Amino acid sequence: MTEQELTDRVVASFDTAKDERFREVMRSLVRHAHAFVRETGLAEDEWTAAIEFLTEAGHLTTDTRQEFVLLSDVLGISMLTVAVNEPALDGPAEPTESTVLGPFFVQDSPEIELGGDIAGGASGEPSWFSGTVTDTAGHPVAGARVEVWEADDDGMYDVQYEDGALAGRAHLFTDADGRYRFWGLTPTPYPIPDDGPVGRLLDRAGRSPMRAPHLHFKVTAPGFHPLVTHIFVADDPWLDSDSVFGVRDSLIRPFDRHEPGTPAPDGRRPQGTWTSASFDIVLRKE
Ligand code: BEZ
Ligand code: FE
């Protein structure tokens, strides 16, 4: 059997699969994986090392530590999957672009009122976030569920805390005019977890684990495609080398800095400096 015959036989072994999409994906996976082995002339000990790498990633993975998501992220596969599924335009306003979900989304975040605070004890400089949720024709989307989560100023998400606290995350609903507003923290750069095999891979490549500062959004509303995205902080040096390739220019916003005691839009006068950013979100109809 020649090498090509081997590939052809493995591809054909999926002909009997009943599910058409499964058949298509598996045939393509085999073709590309075999081409990779051929192109690199993959040595047996290299394949063994790859399997050991994946085994270690599996052993490290728990409910709160997802090494395979990190691997997908640092190889740009998460972001490419986002990009190939990006919906086409369907109105005069472009739908807000998506980016990676990341491993730190949690289903049951606390609900806050409009203007509430998501920090829940997470440390950092206060930041006032506000904006609208509209459809592509510019009509407000009332009652949209806006989920937000971010790291504290030590670069830690609450799920990485040892005490199990919920902090730096919440959800709220847009008002009748499609508006939302809340207090969060000014996003700061932080490293993705790099104490496992993915961290070693980055190190070997001479790559940094740092993410450009951001706050995560997941916005859902009946009749609209769910949107998973971030707001990024303008002028940050990490924007050009985000470790998971998640930055999109359309998601970068200025964060205005305010002096201590300056009144915020809700009348509060934070004792220290604070920032504010606005981020209008456009959802695409289903
Ligand atoms: C995050 O932004 O939370 C994240 C994304 C990808 C990998 C690790 C963290
Ligand atoms: Fe993040």
Side-chain angles (χ1 to χ4, degrees):
M1 188 164 52
T2 65
E3 279 176 16
Q4 189 54 50
E5 280 166 353
L6 172 66
T7 300
D8 293 345
R9 279 178 65 174
V10 182
V11 170
S13 76
F14 287 95
D15 289 357
T16 44
K18 289 194 178 64
D19 184 298
E20 192 183 327
R21 178 64 178 157
F22 173 74
R23 204 163 59 228
E24 180 189 1
V25 169
M26 290 311 298
R27 283 169 170 169
S28 177
L29 177 67
V30 169
R31 271 192 224 101
H32 286 275
H34 283 219
F36 163 75
V37 172
R38 250 183 237 111
E39 181 187 311
T40 57
L42 195 68
E44 284 176 51
D45 62 344
E46 290 170 334
W47 186 230
T48 302
I51 288 180
E52 283 167 2
F53 178 96
L54 293 172
T55 304
E56 194 182 340
H59 287 157
L60 199 59
T61 294
T62 64
D63 285 351
T64 55
R65 172 69 187 261
Q66 234 304 354
E67 197 71 2
F68 289 105
V69 173
L70 292 185
L71 181 60
S72 160
D73 292 339
V74 302
L75 295 180
I77 297 172
S78 305
M79 200 53 207
L80 186 59
T81 307
V82 166
V84 300
N85 285 287
E86 197 83 90
L89 301 186
D90 73 345
E94 295 200 15
T96 301
E97 288 188 303
S98 309
T99 187
V100 291
L101 177 68
F104 299 127
F105 173 69
V106 167
Q107 279 299 344
D108 297 314
S109 68
E111 181 176 346
I112 56 166
E113 297 292 309
L114 281 165
D117 193 338
I118 74 163
S123 60
E125 181 183 50
S127 188
W128 176 258
F129 293 84
S130 60
T132 54
V133 178
T134 58
D135 65 15
T136 51
H139 303 122
V141 180
R145 182 181 169 116
V146 180
E147 290 270 356
V148 288
W149 65 105
E150 64 176 326
D152 64 20
D153 62 357
D154 285 328
M156 300 290 276
Y157 282 84
D158 56 359
V159 294
Q160 298 172 292
Y161 297 170
E162 273 164 20
D163 62 3
L166 271 175
R169 71 176 71 241
H171 68 274
L172 63 162
F173 295 91
T174 53
D175 67 15
D177 299 320
R179 295 185 182 285
Y180 72 84
R181 51 195 172 273
F182 61 91
W183 283 101
L185 304 171
T186 309
T188 53
Y190 69 86
I192 65 169
D194 64 347
D195 55 347
V198 170
R200 288 205 310 277
L201 182 146
L202 290 177
D203 188 51
R204 199 163 167 189
R207 280 173 56 181
S208 164
M210 295 303 281
R211 288 226 59 201
H214 60 273
L215 173 133
H216 296 254
F217 279 85
K218 181 174 181 190
V219 185
T220 50
F224 292 90
H225 280 279
L227 172 72
V228 173
T229 195
H230 301 358
I231 176 176
F232 289 96
V233 180
D235 300 324
D236 188 88
W238 292 103
L239 286 171
D240 293 331
S241 54
D242 184 47
S243 55
V244 304
F245 308 96
V247 178
R248 309 184 93 169
D249 289 349
S250 69
L251 305 177
I252 301 172
R253 293 289 181 282
F255 277 64
D256 297 330
R257 179 152 273 105
H258 308 279
E259 291 306 315
T262 320
D266 65 350
R268 246 180 78 181
R269 290 175 185 267
Q271 287 180 347
T273 59
W274 57 283
T275 61
S276 58
S278 104
F279 187 49
D280 290 341
I281 289 166
V282 180
L283 297 181
R284 190 180 70 104
K285 286 217 169 76
E286 264 174 356

